Amino acid sequence: KISELMTRISDQQSETVAEVASRKAEYEATLQAELDRERSLKAANAAISTQIGHLQSLNGDLRRRAATLGHSNEELRSDLQGLQENMTMAQEFVAASLSHSDDADVAELAVLAELAAKDAKKAESKLKSQRLEEIWGKTKVSTLQFGASRSSPEELIAVLGSGLANLSTEENATLTSMKQMFD
């Protein structure tokens, strides 16, 4: 019985050793899988950390650029407001200039109208003189003229009277316009 017992113990011991070896192999395989998984996670964590550092750097660059753009935007906005104010002032200046430059009622320019009227009267008077000259011909009537005349004395007196009336009218108009110009 002892030999049986010994065989049994030996068999059981072999089974236990085999079972322990089998479990050891399982544990070692599980442990190796955990180690591989841990290495993989560490590598992934390192890659993610690198990516995070790169993204943080990029984010910092973008924030600085945003701040620079914000300052540039403020300067451009200020410039645009200045331009708008200048344009408003220019529009106001143009409007004021247009309203003040209407010289239709300016008294100083009325002189030009008066001079134009005088020129028209002179031209009319000259035209009358030319017509009279055509009528009378090239010979002028004189108070010292002797001999036969072409017209009657009544006609001569009428012509001289109208000439004096025209001369008096022109003289009065000239005096009036001179007074207006110097007053």
Side-chain angles (χ1 to χ4, degrees):
K1 282 187 159 208
I2 290 195
S3 83
E4 248 184 59
L5 193 55
M6 289 293 258
T7 319
R8 225 168 154 195
I9 290 180
S10 168
D11 284 342
Q12 240 182 358
Q13 192 175 15
S14 308
E15 281 179 22
T16 304
V17 169
E19 193 176 317
V20 167
S22 168
R23 282 194 181 174
K24 179 182 174 194
E26 278 180 29
Y27 289 142
E28 284 179 354
T30 303
L31 183 61
Q32 188 62 40
E34 289 293 322
L35 285 173
D36 290 343
R37 195 169 135 229
E38 184 183 341
R39 283 186 197 130
S40 173
L41 286 175
K42 282 183 180 180
N45 283 344
I48 289 172
S49 292
T50 303
Q51 219 174 16
I52 287 172
H54 177 70
L55 289 175
Q56 285 175 338
S57 172
L58 185 62
N59 192 15
D61 291 344
L62 290 174
R63 286 179 189 221
R64 283 187 292 279
R65 175 141 169 82
T68 302
L69 288 175
H71 292 298
S72 295
N73 188 26
E74 287 176 16
E75 289 174 4
L76 290 174
R77 193 170 193 74
S78 174
D79 290 346
L80 286 174
Q81 286 175 340
L83 286 173
Q84 184 179 22
E85 290 172 5
N86 287 343
M87 288 174 62
T88 301
M89 287 191 320
Q91 287 174 338
E92 290 172 357
F93 174 76
V94 168
S97 295
L98 287 175
S99 69
H100 290 18
S101 67
D102 184 14
D103 55 4
D105 298 330
V106 176
E108 288 84 5
L109 294 179
V111 172
L112 294 175
E114 291 174 14
L115 291 175
K118 284 181 184 180
D119 289 343
K121 282 183 182 181
K122 283 182 184 179
E124 184 180 328
S125 175
K126 186 175 181 181
L127 183 63
K128 283 182 184 180
S129 296
Q130 287 174 347
R131 285 184 186 162
L132 283 175
E133 194 173 306
E134 287 174 7
I135 293 172
W136 290 101
K138 296 205 176 199
T139 60
K140 294 192 175 185
V141 176
S142 170
T143 53
L144 298 175
Q145 185 177 2
F146 295 100
S149 70
R150 293 186 174 184
S151 58
S152 67
E154 291 85 18
E155 288 177 0
L156 185 59
I157 290 175
V159 167
L160 287 174
S162 79
L164 286 174
N166 284 341
L167 183 62
S168 175
T169 304
E170 285 182 26
E171 184 179 349
N172 287 337
T174 303
L175 285 174
T176 304
S177 68
M178 288 177 82
K179 282 182 184 178
Q180 288 177 350
M181 283 198 310
F182 291 106
D183 285 341

